Amino acid sequence: MNWADSLKIAILEGDTQKAYELIINVPTTSLNELEDLLIAQELIAQGIEMLEKDQEKVKKQMLQLKLAKKFLE
């Protein structure tokens, strides 16, 4: 399976860890055609969007935990 397919699957499955690893390790040597570069650009953008949403979700959860802790004190 190639890099683009692996990233597509990670995005569809919502696997942020796998998507992050794939985005960090872009195989630049195999992206020679303009079409491949455009596909990679779009997939990376979608992956980053997914990671940002996950980050926001974690921030909200942390805030809720802080509020609950403050309430219990």
Side-chain angles (χ1 to χ4, degrees):
M1 184 178 313
N2 66 23
W3 174 85
D5 290 340
S6 296
L7 185 52
K8 287 176 190 176
I9 291 170
I11 291 169
L12 289 173
E13 291 179 346
D15 187 347
T16 54
Q17 183 63 35
K18 181 74 172 176
Y20 175 76
E21 291 171 9
L22 289 165
I23 290 170
I24 294 300
N25 299 311
V26 177
T28 54
T29 56
S30 66
L31 300 174
N32 299 328
E33 301 290 323
L34 179 60
E35 183 179 351
D36 294 337
L37 290 169
L38 292 173
I39 290 170
Q41 179 184 17
E42 180 59 31
L43 289 173
I44 290 170
Q46 288 178 15
I48 290 171
E49 183 179 326
M50 181 179 70
L51 291 167
E52 288 172 343
K53 285 180 183 177
D54 193 50
Q55 182 182 27
E56 285 300 315
K57 188 169 101 177
V58 170
K59 280 183 184 179
K60 287 179 184 178
Q61 290 173 344
M62 288 178 63
L63 179 60
Q64 288 175 342
L65 288 172
K66 285 180 183 179
L67 291 173
K69 181 180 175 185
K70 195 177 229 183
F71 176 76
L72 293 172
E73 291 177 344

